Structures are given as C-alpha cells and as structure tokens.
Amino acid sequence: MHTASDRHEYPAHWEADVVLRDGGTARIRPITVHDADRLVSFYEQVSDESKYYRFFAPYPRLSARDVHRFTHHDFVDRVGLAATVGGEFIATVRYDRIGADGMPASAPADEAEVAFLVQDAHQGRGVASALLEHVAAVARERGIRRFAAEVLPANSKMIKVFTDAGYQQKRSFEDGVVRLELDLEPTDRSLAVQQAREQRAEARSVQRLLAPGSVAVIGAGRTPGGVGRSILANLRDGGYTGRLYAVNSAFEKDREELDGVPAHRSVREIPEPVDLAVVAVPAEHVPEAVDECGEHGVQGLVVISAGYAESGPGGRERQRELVRQARSYGMRIIGPNAFGIINTSPDVRLNASLAPEMPRAGRIGLFSQSGAVGIALLSRLHRRGGGVTGVTGVSTFVSSGNRADVSGNDVLQYWYEDPDTDVALMYLETIGSPRKFNRLARRTAAAKPLVVVQGARHGGAPQGHAVRATRLPHGTVSALLRQAGVIRVDTITELVDAGLLLARQPLPAGPRVAILGNSESLGLLTYDACLTEGLRPLPPLDLTTAASAEDFHRALTAALADDACDTVVVTAIPTLGETSAGDAALAGALRSAAAAAPSKPVLVVHVELGGLAEALSAAASTAPAAVPPPVPGTAPAAVPPPVPGTAPAAGPRPCPARRPWPSAPAPRARRTPRPPRYGPRRTPG
C-alpha cells in the first residue's frame, strides 16, 4: 500500500480499532494513494458549513490536485489518517511538518500543522478526539513535539476537542482566527482524559449489548431443538421486554411467525431497527449473517457458533476475519463459541443464552471465559441464592467464549458504573493485558467488591482465546490482584461463597471472629482458616452434638452482644436421625438471635447432610434492605473465609446499609500514569 516515491513503507502498526463515545466502533488507519475515491465520496457527504470551517472559505468540491495532495503522504513529514466504518471514511486528520517560518519543513523541525474534518452524521461520537489521540502518538513517533492549529471562532466543537485533550497548550487570536499550540508530551491530565474516555466508551459498548431494544436470533430452526431455537425460547420465556425476531434463510416464504415470534428469512427483511443479533448458524454461514447485520445497522453480535480458533489454525483465521468484518460495520462481538449473555433487570429481562431458566434477579455480576464454568456458576447461585436475608441473584452475566472482541476488561468498565451491580465475580483463564486489567480492577475494587478465580494455571490459554496467555507466573498475577484490592479465591465454589457473603452481609468492624457450633472439628478448622487469613479468632465455643436450637440461640445472642466480637461464624452438623423440623427450628433460632445485632455479619457453615440449607432459605421472610453504593476510593476489608469442604449460608437477618469500605493498603494509592500505546485496546471517546 505504498509507492516507490514514499519515504517510508506503509506503517501498518498505526492501524487500530477504537470504541467511540456511543459504544460503536471505527477503524483508524493511514490514508494511501488507493483512497482517492473514498476521499471524494466522503467530502461530498460533508456539509457546506463543515467545509467552510475546514478551509475558511466556500469549498464545494475537491480539485484533482487536492485529492492527490491528501492521498499522497511520506508518512514522516506529511501524514493523513482516516476513521472508517464499513470501509468508508467518516473522518480524516492530517498533519504537515513546518519550520519556524511556518513553511513546509523536514526534521529536525519538530512542529506540525494539524487539521480535522468529520462527516456531520458522525459528529458528537468522539471521532475527532480519537483521531487527535492517534495522530499525536504518530507525530511523537516521527519526532514532532508540537501541533499548531488554526480554527475559526465559530467552530466551537473543534476548539473543545483541542482544549479537552489535556495537553499543555497556548491560545492566541490573530486576524479573526484562533491559533492553538499543543505540546504533545503526555501529561497526567491527558492520560486521565484518555482513560476516562476509554471507560465511557467501553462501558457504553457493553451496555448496548446487555440492554438492547430489539433482538434477532439468526439460525432459529424450523423444528424444535437446536441451539438457535432454544435461545429464541429462552428469550421469549424469560419475558424479554423488547422486540424479538426469528431469522432463518430456510423459512418458507409465507411463514410469518415461529413460536409466536415474528419470523423472517433475512435480517434485511425486518422492518424495524435491530440492536442485537444472536448468531447460531454453522461457521461457514456466519460471514453472510454478519454482512446482513452490518448493512441493517445492527449494533452488536453474540456469536454462539463454534468452529473458530478452538478448532485449530483454520478456525483461528476465520475468527480474525470475523472480528475484522464486524468491526468494519462498527459492531462489537461477544464470542464466538459463547454461552450467551443475561440481564435480569425488570426493564430488560434478557436471556440471550443457553441457560434454560432466567436466573434470580439480584446484585451480583458474573463474567466467565468458559461456558462450562458459566453454567456451573449460574447453577450454584440458583441453588444457593435463597437465604434468610432474602433472595440473592444475578444482575448481569456474560460468557465471552473465545473472547475475540469483548473481554473481561470491557465488562469491568461496565460494572464500575452499573447501579444494579454491587458485587462482581469473574472466572478468568487468561489475562490479555495484565497492566490494563490491574488498573481497571484497582478502580472497580475501590467502589465494589471484585472476586476473581484464575483458571488455566498449568495448561496455558484455551486454544480459542484471541489473546496470548499471560506470561507472568501464576504467583505474580495473584500478587498483582491482591495489590489491586481484588479478592482472589481458588475455586468456583469459593467464588459463589464469597459473592453471596459480600452481597448479603454488612462489613465487619474489625478482624475479631467468634466461632461457635456443635462440631469441635469444624470449629478448629475455622479457627485455623481465620489465622491463615490474618484475622483474630476467639477460642471456638463447642456446644457439643447434643446442642438444641435454643442452645444455638443463646450462644449466638451472647456472641453478638460481646463488644470483643466483630463477626460470628456458626458451624453446624446434622444430628443423626434429625428431621427437617429440627433443621427448621435451628434456622429460626439463628435468625431470631441475629436480628438483635444487624450490624454484625453472621456466617453459617454447615455440612450438607441434612436440610439446614433449605431451612435457612425457607426462614427468609423479608427482602434485603436497600444498599447504598460503597464510597469510591476505599477498599474491601478481609472477610472470614469459608471452611474448605463446607458451604457458608448467609447471615440470618435483613442486610443493613453497608458501611464504607475501610481504607486501602498503601500500594493502592500509587497510581503511575502510563503512556498510550497503539492497538485495538485503545478506546478514545
């Protein structure tokens, strides 16, 4: 993509996919000699006003000389970048190196004039900000340290792009023109601006996927069974509040519906806009479906189809092409080979997954790179989500599959500002960018608890994952997680335990733990586990196996009334021959005792031989009280860990308002600015 006269070869490393302010995507790349027709078409779609702002005079069309100048660059002193969607230009930026006299120059001159032009239909999406960020990085690479720009005073949008970028700048007014000079050296403010723009854009892109106004299931079979038909039924039976469509190219021409859902042979035939498409067709038919979605203006895809990187080198190339194809239309992808996504919000009720039942609504967000682990997490939360403090369930669930596009980092950006999620649980097999994940996890964990299981400890990354496996040793990654304030657990059982605990319980005032129960062995195990975690357990109180429900009530009441106790762990084993009535009596006794001290957490550790878990759930008679969000800038305190081999149930009482997270350890306060880097992970707004 270069000519013999070019001073440098085509700089492919300048290409990048970016997420824009509205959650859509665009491709940024250098402009080449082959882009003449695209440039002319782009300019024809720009309004006369925007052309006037760019050239300071009426300029209805580009001359042949203009087209040649704007498409021929040496990629050193003259550079042009374009933002594209669907292969067509939506915005351009160029710089020309100048000397002290303002005339064209070469190195060592370190100043350049810069100018933008954004198609009117795409203004307000943050395209110019994205281009400025990228062209500034290109300029620094070529030895340019300052940008100069002349802007008409009436062009307030472009002036705002420059002033909001965070670079040190000078402004002057001469001959009716605002002259801006920007120092391109990154500053704390410019890096903060980039990260804030990244957060808004990535969060918005995930929000568009999780809260669509309409969904099309592509590949809904004509006969019962099959993946597409199952997902269609799950969406319908889950009570999805938006418009739902069934799509299959094999439908009869006169078919109007499938299972009560409007049916179409192609997405193009749907008369209304479609926000999300769930693709469940064989891999060889996915490209056609993606083209249809892109041309119809679909905003995002959940690709259930398998046969991609998990199947070998050929599938890996199909996966790369799938991402390129979707991004060319501005769409984001969850998958391929994904289990699906869920949003239990009553305003959405989206079950675009293979889970046959909508999970209980709640305040826990789930992310899993593995579909099988995602199923296990949903199953455990569904089985154990009931408790004496009310039902605890899921806010949103994302199974990323091969993680070709949307990753755990994107979901963290969404959860950080999601008012419906109080606790975030993640199963991660790989971390593609430990530095970025650490930054996002640190910020999220300061606002709400973040619990992580790190899988794939010895076997490397699953074959389907688009990113390389984390090269850091497992212990190093664990240390990074701890420094970021993340609660790291070892198994998905502990992940669910921690999630239920954090979603239901108040924070303990300190590390002092009272332990009581009818099993001396469980009491000692709990005592040792508390010591291991740096807590201060009191000597366990053994009530003996002959303890009655009244004995538990008296012991728990006394422990909660003790000012030397911050948390109580109750251990319980079923008595031989005990009936469900005994379990119910014990559950009621625990709930009654705990109601007198609602500010202290109570954990019930029980051996699942009897019916205590069900009895604890049945004892619930009130829903949790409204929980205000924790105060940002603080960190979670240590909580008593579950005893291995047992299952902690929620403390028996309605959950009071949370206290703010205790102060974070010193490492959390160190925030070193990072310079920007090129690549698909950049998300300027």
Side-chain angles (χ1 to χ4, degrees), residues 475-506:
T476 302
V477 174
S478 297
L480 288 174
L481 294 177
R482 284 194 298 271
Q483 290 176 2
V486 173
I487 302 171
R488 196 190 70 80
V489 295
D490 294 323
T491 68
I492 60 172
T493 298
E494 292 179 2
L495 187 68
V496 172
D497 290 344
L500 293 175
L501 169 67
L502 293 164
R504 290 175 176 164
Q505 294 286 357

Side-chain angles (χ1 to χ4, degrees), residues 530-541:
C530 290
L531 288 175
T532 300
E533 295 299 323
L535 301 174
R536 291 166 50 190
L538 305 176
L541 173 61

Side-chain angles (χ1 to χ4, degrees), residues 428-429 431 452-459 470-482 488-490:
L428 303 177
E429 291 173 334
I431 301 176
V452 171
V453 167
Q454 183 190 354
R457 182 175 303 188
H458 303 294
T470 305
R471 296 186 180 276
L472 295 176
H474 192 274
T476 302
V477 174
S478 297
L480 288 174
L481 294 177
R482 284 194 298 271
R488 196 190 70 80
V489 295
D490 294 323

Side-chain angles (χ1 to χ4, degrees), residues 297-534:
V298 175
Q299 296 180 350
L301 306 172
V302 176
V303 181
I304 309 295
S305 311
Y308 286 89
E310 80 283 355
S311 63
R316 186 172 295 277
E317 181 54 38
R318 282 195 297 273
Q319 184 165 301
R320 293 193 188 101
E321 181 56 35
L322 170 64
V323 175
R324 287 194 292 266
Q325 183 186 13
R327 285 177 175 169
S328 73
Y329 289 109
M331 297 184 292
R332 299 213 69 182
I333 298 176
I334 290 178
N337 195 30
F339 183 74
I341 58 177
I342 295 172
N343 185 351
T344 64
S345 167
D347 296 330
V348 183
R349 295 196 57 80
L350 176 78
N351 183 9
S353 78
L354 292 168
E357 294 183 18
M358 175 75 82
R360 294 186 182 97
R363 314 287 298 181
I364 297 176
L366 287 178
F367 174 84
S368 175
Q369 291 176 1
S370 162
V373 172
I375 295 171
L377 285 172
L378 288 172
S379 174
R380 281 171 167 78
L381 274 175
H382 185 77
R383 180 168 60 92
R384 305 213 6 238
V388 293
T389 60
V391 170
T392 299
V394 175
S395 59
T396 49
F397 166 79
V398 175
S399 167
S400 64
N402 290 2
R403 199 171 47 143
D405 181 18
V406 173
S407 69
N409 286 345
D410 296 290
V411 178
L412 274 180
Q413 300 277 41
Y414 171 77
W415 280 338
Y416 173 70
E417 60 180 20
D418 178 28
D420 294 330
T421 300
D422 289 340
V423 180
L425 309 183
M426 305 186 78
Y427 173 79
L428 303 177
E429 291 173 334
T430 55
I431 301 176
S433 174
R435 177 178 295 176
K436 179 174 180 179
F437 178 81
N438 185 268
R439 171 170 60 86
L440 299 183
R442 182 185 300 273
R443 185 190 58 188
T444 303
K448 55 188 69 174
L450 173 59
V451 191
V452 171
V453 167
Q454 183 190 354
R457 182 175 303 188
H458 303 294
Q463 282 192 335
H465 284 204
V467 299
R468 294 188 300 271
T470 305
R471 296 186 180 276
L472 295 176
H474 192 274
T476 302
V477 174
S478 297
L480 288 174
L481 294 177
R482 284 194 298 271
Q483 290 176 2
V486 173
I487 302 171
R488 196 190 70 80
V489 295
D490 294 323
T491 68
I492 60 172
T493 298
E494 292 179 2
L495 187 68
V496 172
D497 290 344
L500 293 175
L501 169 67
L502 293 164
R504 290 175 176 164
Q505 294 286 357
L507 292 174
R512 301 167 300 180
V513 182
I515 304 167
L516 62 93
N518 62 353
S519 167
E520 182 180 13
S521 298
L522 284 183
L524 292 174
L525 283 172
T526 304
Y527 183 88
D528 290 342
C530 290
L531 288 175
T532 300
E533 295 299 323

Side-chain angles (χ1 to χ4, degrees), residues 236-258:
R236 182 199 60 202
D237 297 344
Y240 173 58
T241 60
R243 300 184 304 275
L244 185 59
Y245 306 98
V247 177
N248 192 323
S249 60
F251 283 158
E252 302 85 353
K253 292 185 178 180
D254 58 348
R255 179 184 285 273
E256 295 183 354
E257 65 175 41
L258 178 70

